[in-house]
Every structure is written in C-alpha cells, then in structure tokens.
Amino acid sequence: MSEADILDLEQAIRDNYRLWNEGKRDELDRLFRILGPEGFTIEYVGSPAMDGDAAMADMWAEYGGKCTTDPLEVIVNGSDGAAYVANRLQTPDGIVTLPSLETYKVADGRLTIRYFHRTAH
C-alpha cells in the first residue's frame, strides 16, 4: 500500500491551501508527490493541462506571497475532491477576492488538478 492509499484526501486538499498560505513550497511539492507519485498536471479549465511542476513554479512566481487561499468548502468522494476557494489577491488598490472551484483526482499514481476561474468576458 502506498502513502497515497492511506492519505486522507480531504485533509491533503486542506493542507495544500495551508502550505500555500504559509509559504512552504518544499512541503507543498512533497504533498503533490505523495498524491501523484507518477506525476501531476494542472489545468486552468479552458487551457491545455500543463506539467504540474512547471505550472506550480509559474504560479509560485506570480502569486506566492501575494495571494492567500481560503477553502470555504471541501468535498471528497473516494479519490475525487473539489474545493470552493476564496483567493485573496493583494493589489495596489487593496485585496481583491477571486473565487474558484478546484478539483483533485488521484488515479493510477497520478494527480490531476483543475482550476475553474472566472475569465474576462
């Protein structure tokens, strides 16, 4: 049995947001490796899925320390989870709250993360 098999997915999803907020990138990377020992992808829905490590590096460079996350609701059914998140982005005009729906799927040693964000109309 792998570490991912015994991991509580709901707690792992909550830990993801906590580690992000605490600026603990190494621990966040470790969590993703536990959930997806064969690798992971991140998809901003509407765009192609990207390699998870590269996507996290980009996300960290752009939003690390500037955006905190508040998982308002986390729902898990088996190896699938979803979170409704309030992303609080620090801007020159103050904090802007950007809601998102984020899904997590663990299957065949891989983690698939999908982010549903509002886009400009």
Side-chain angles (χ1 to χ4, degrees):
M1 183 175 283
S2 74
E3 194 171 357
D5 291 334
I6 59 174
L7 188 67
D8 177 332
L9 184 57
E10 180 176 348
Q11 187 60 55
I13 291 170
R14 291 183 185 282
D15 286 347
N16 160 57
Y17 300 110
R18 178 184 55 79
L19 293 169
W20 174 273
N21 290 340
E22 294 173 356
K24 295 183 176 178
R25 174 72 195 277
D26 291 340
E27 289 90 341
L28 189 57
D29 288 344
R30 180 176 180 274
L31 177 65
F32 289 144
R33 283 193 302 276
I34 291 168
L35 291 169
E38 300 297 319
F40 74 106
T41 58
I42 293 177
E43 175 188 352
Y44 293 91
V45 174
S47 298
M50 304 180 331
D51 172 74
D53 290 322
M56 275 304 299
D58 290 346
M59 190 183 322
W60 196 267
E62 187 167 350
Y63 297 109
K66 298 175 198 152
C67 183
T68 58
T69 58
D70 183 10
L72 302 173
E73 187 72 44
V74 176
I75 300 169
V76 171
N77 289 315
S79 61
D80 288 277
Y84 173 54
V85 182
N87 300 283
R88 295 194 169 89
L89 179 63
Q90 181 65 54
T91 71
D93 297 324
I95 295 175
V96 175
T97 300
L98 306 167
S100 64
L101 299 173
E102 306 183 359
T103 65
Y104 300 79
K105 181 173 185 63
V106 178
D108 301 321
R110 298 194 54 82
L111 169 64
T112 302
I113 302 172
R114 300 181 78 214
Y115 298 137
F116 293 79
H117 290 260
R118 284 200 174 100
T119 58
H121 299 312

